[in-house]
Structure formats: structure tokens, C-alpha cells
Amino acid sequence: MGIISSVGKDIDTFWKNLCNGYNGIQYVDAFKDVSVSIAGKVKDFDAEQYGMEKAFIRKQDNFTLFAIAAAKQAMEQSELVSEGEGANIDPFRLGVYVGSGIGGFEIQYRETVKMIEDPSGRWISPLFIPTMISNIAAGHVAIRNNAKGPCLDIVTACATSSHCIGEAYRAIRHGYADAIIAGGSEHASIPLGVAGFLNAKALSTAQDPNYASLPFNANRTGFVIGDGAGALVLESLEHALERGATILGEMVGYGNTCDAYHATAPRPDGTTQARAIQLALEEAGFDPEKDNLYINAHGTGTKLNDVCETLAYKVALGDFAYKAHISSTKSMTGHMFGAAGAAEAIATILAVRDGICPPTINLDCPDPECDLDYTPNKAVRTPLTIGISDSLGFGGHDACVAFRKYE
């Protein structure tokens, strides 16, 4: 696994900070002309530390650089090698499913300004298109890892990387690859992004970064933008055992549905969101009599999402919903959009592995309609047997991925 986020740029730091309730949201000077001035920015990111060349770095949007860095971490931890001495996977059996909800947002804004200033277009960069398109991160991850197998960029807004992980899981199960680098990346914390989400009434209007991302809190006013990338190397069990891989967890289920309801609002009765959860849990062999369940919630902190998501858990799980351990790590990272599902899948795998439910920080005034166990303020230790992470995206895209300890 690999991570670039506001709470850590490596797995150990990321997980330690989540368990300790560290808040990665901060003031952003660049937003001074916009009424919202906070975000979960990635701090002190140096792409050269991940083997990228200065000339390459200058030409790329941050979403691509974040993706390459997270994938490099994941591949190094996996010890998969697709070329040269020590190669242990056929490059045509190694794939990349890395998505982005928006793509090269900053580059698109920068080049648009040039076009407005000079409509002739003479100053538009010849690299504008191949650095802006959302699939380019997956392309560069494939190039740097000699991954010649299936390579897809799924774009389903905030559910993007959960769908990338789920579809990679299915591709491996059906024999199309032995291993796939799966995840997502996003860099949306630019003034244009802030203004767009703010005027859509989706963004938190809080001024205090330490009390801004408030999932399931009655005081919530919207989500906080977060940047970063998450990557996981999924591999067939047979291939992993053959090469003696260190196995961090087992992916056991995936659900994929659509609200078919509204462009931005979730289906209010929670039924379609619940169905994605049920599909993942059914495939995972979930047993309410034996399993201790952790849920990494989508938990954005918007008025509509948190109530509908709570209802979806009740529809999916019945009375067991009150026994599940649930938390929203977006309370610390902010909403990483296309990278959110991957970051939260990583948190879910680590929660199950270590028996720790990370907290939902700042949950000091729970919404009465959000009456489940959302792990307020402090992490909880408990022997978990299964974990799920659900993601809900604009357009009604619902995804849920399920993991167990590998034993």
C-alpha cells in the first residue's frame, strides 16, 4: 500500500496519525480571495524523493505526481518486479487501475487563463491535454512500473478509487491479471475548485481548521477539500503465495450500484447505497453472529450525506447496524475525492489487521439522526474480523469494498 495525504506521506505515519486523531486540515493563503480558506493540503511534498525527475515534475499536475508517489510506495512494499534481474511477474499480467475524479484541475485552470488573455491560443502548452486528462496518472504509473496488462482510469467522482479497487479485484478473480496497482489521486484544492464546491452549497463554511470537517455532527456545514493519492497492490492469492509475498489482508467483497436519483444529492431512503453494502458483505460471507464489523464511512460532513448514509447502514444491516464500529477518517484528511476510496480502503485494512477503529474527530455534538456508533473523538481497540469502506459519488455512484484478515 502507498499513501500521500494531509495526515501522512507514508503508510506508518498515515495510520499512526489517524489512530491518534491528528487533524490534517489547515489554513491556505492561496484562498484569501475566496470566503473559504481551509483544506487538507499535502504538506512538504517532494516528488524527487519518489524518483521523479525535475524536468518531468515541472510538466505535470500534482494529481499525477501524487499517484506516482503512492504507487511507488505500494510496489516497493509488495516487492513485485516486472523487468530486469529479479523479475517475479509477467509485465502483461500486471495492470493499473488508477483513477481521478477531476484530473489536472490546476493545469486546466492555468491554460484556460492563457486562452482568455490571448484567444489565439498561441501560448497554450503543447502538453496541456496530456497533463490534464484524468487517465494520465494511470498511464504514468504503468510506464514507471512496466505494467503492460489492463490499464483503466475509472471516473465516478468521489467513488472513483473504490470502484478502481473493486474492478481490479474482479479482473484478477476472473483471470485477466495476476496483480493490479489500484487506487486514485486528486489535487482539487485550488481557488476554482473551492469556489465551485462552495457555490454548490457542498463545502464547509467553517473558518477554524480544527473544527471544520464534522461528519455526523449536528454542527456540520459541508465537506472540506483534501488532496492526495492512495494505491494498493492487489494480487491473486496463488501468485502471492508462489513468490512468498507478505500479505496485508484479503479482499473478499465488492458492491457497485447507482442511486439513479439526482446529479448531486444521494437517494434519501438509502436503499441503493445499502444494496452496494449488502452485495459486498454477501460476497464476503458476513455473519452477524460471528463477525465484528468495522465500517469506514463515506462520512463527508454534508447535511444530506450523513443522514442518508446512516439510514443506508440500517437498511443494509438491520439491528446489527447498532453493533458495528463506524468512523469517518475524512474528519482528519478532508475529502480526497477521487483518492478518498483508496485512502479509506487502506485505513480499513489496517483497522482490521491491528484491531483498532480510528476515530471520527470533533464529534462533540452528534446529529440525533446519525445515532450509530461513529467512534467519537478517540480510537477504539477491538478484535475486528471484517471491514468495509463505502464511497458515494456525484451522479449517484455507490461503491463498497470488503476486507478480512488473511489467516
PDB file of all heavy atoms in Angstrom, residues 115 118-123:
ATOM      1  N   MET A 115      -5.814  31.271 -22.426  1.00  0.00           N
ATOM      2  CA  MET A 115      -6.699  31.360 -23.590  1.00  0.00           C
ATOM      3  C   MET A 115      -7.583  32.595 -23.513  1.00  0.00           C
ATOM      4  O   MET A 115      -7.851  33.264 -24.526  1.00  0.00           O
ATOM      5  CB  MET A 115      -7.562  30.104 -23.685  1.00  0.00           C
ATOM      6  CG  MET A 115      -8.321  29.956 -24.979  1.00  0.00           C
ATOM      7  SD  MET A 115      -7.202  29.542 -26.341  1.00  0.00           S
ATOM      8  CE  MET A 115      -8.345  29.508 -27.711  1.00  0.00           C
ATOM      9  N   ASP A 118      -5.357  35.579 -24.328  1.00  0.00           N
ATOM     10  CA  ASP A 118      -4.979  35.631 -25.742  1.00  0.00           C
ATOM     11  C   ASP A 118      -5.780  34.566 -26.487  1.00  0.00           C
ATOM     12  O   ASP A 118      -5.374  33.396 -26.568  1.00  0.00           O
ATOM     13  CB  ASP A 118      -3.476  35.380 -25.903  1.00  0.00           C
ATOM     14  CG  ASP A 118      -3.033  35.482 -27.366  1.00  0.00           C
ATOM     15  OD1 ASP A 118      -3.907  35.612 -28.252  1.00  0.00           O
ATOM     16  OD2 ASP A 118      -1.820  35.425 -27.618  1.00  0.00           O
ATOM     17  N   PRO A 119      -6.949  34.935 -27.040  1.00  0.00           N
ATOM     18  CA  PRO A 119      -7.826  33.951 -27.697  1.00  0.00           C
ATOM     19  C   PRO A 119      -7.212  33.247 -28.895  1.00  0.00           C
ATOM     20  O   PRO A 119      -7.786  32.267 -29.393  1.00  0.00           O
ATOM     21  CB  PRO A 119      -9.037  34.808 -28.119  1.00  0.00           C
ATOM     22  CG  PRO A 119      -9.020  35.989 -27.208  1.00  0.00           C
ATOM     23  CD  PRO A 119      -7.570  36.271 -26.966  1.00  0.00           C
ATOM     24  N   SER A 120      -6.066  33.688 -29.364  1.00  0.00           N
ATOM     25  CA  SER A 120      -5.422  32.992 -30.483  1.00  0.00           C
ATOM     26  C   SER A 120      -4.947  31.604 -30.072  1.00  0.00           C
ATOM     27  O   SER A 120      -4.745  30.731 -30.920  1.00  0.00           O
ATOM     28  CB  SER A 120      -4.223  33.794 -30.996  1.00  0.00           C
ATOM     29  OG  SER A 120      -3.124  33.725 -30.086  1.00  0.00           O
ATOM     30  N   GLY A 121      -4.731  31.411 -28.783  1.00  0.00           N
ATOM     31  CA  GLY A 121      -4.273  30.117 -28.280  1.00  0.00           C
ATOM     32  C   GLY A 121      -2.800  29.849 -28.470  1.00  0.00           C
ATOM     33  O   GLY A 121      -2.323  28.748 -28.189  1.00  0.00           O
ATOM     34  N   ARG A 122      -2.052  30.862 -28.924  1.00  0.00           N
ATOM     35  CA  ARG A 122      -0.641  30.625 -29.248  1.00  0.00           C
ATOM     36  C   ARG A 122       0.201  30.241 -28.028  1.00  0.00           C
ATOM     37  O   ARG A 122       1.255  29.638 -28.178  1.00  0.00           O
ATOM     38  CB  ARG A 122      -0.057  31.856 -29.926  1.00  0.00           C
ATOM     39  CG  ARG A 122       0.220  33.028 -29.001  1.00  0.00           C
ATOM     40  CD  ARG A 122       0.736  34.236 -29.737  1.00  0.00           C
ATOM     41  NE  ARG A 122      -0.353  34.881 -30.470  1.00  0.00           N
ATOM     42  CZ  ARG A 122      -0.172  35.943 -31.246  1.00  0.00           C
ATOM     43  NH1 ARG A 122       1.045  36.446 -31.421  1.00  0.00           N
ATOM     44  NH2 ARG A 122      -1.187  36.488 -31.873  1.00  0.00           N
ATOM     45  N   TRP A 123      -0.254  30.628 -26.829  1.00  0.00           N
ATOM     46  CA  TRP A 123       0.539  30.361 -25.640  1.00  0.00           C
ATOM     47  C   TRP A 123       0.078  29.111 -24.883  1.00  0.00           C
ATOM     48  O   TRP A 123       0.602  28.791 -23.819  1.00  0.00           O
ATOM     49  CB  TRP A 123       0.504  31.568 -24.690  1.00  0.00           C
ATOM     50  CG  TRP A 123       1.017  32.816 -25.335  1.00  0.00           C
ATOM     51  CD1 TRP A 123       0.312  33.931 -25.659  1.00  0.00           C
ATOM     52  CD2 TRP A 123       2.359  33.046 -25.770  1.00  0.00           C
ATOM     53  NE1 TRP A 123       1.119  34.862 -26.272  1.00  0.00           N
ATOM     54  CE2 TRP A 123       2.387  34.340 -26.351  1.00  0.00           C
ATOM     55  CE3 TRP A 123       3.540  32.295 -25.736  1.00  0.00           C
ATOM     56  CZ2 TRP A 123       3.547  34.889 -26.883  1.00  0.00           C
ATOM     57  CZ3 TRP A 123       4.693  32.853 -26.265  1.00  0.00           C
ATOM     58  CH2 TRP A 123       4.699  34.127 -26.832  1.00  0.00           C
TER      59      TRP A 123
END
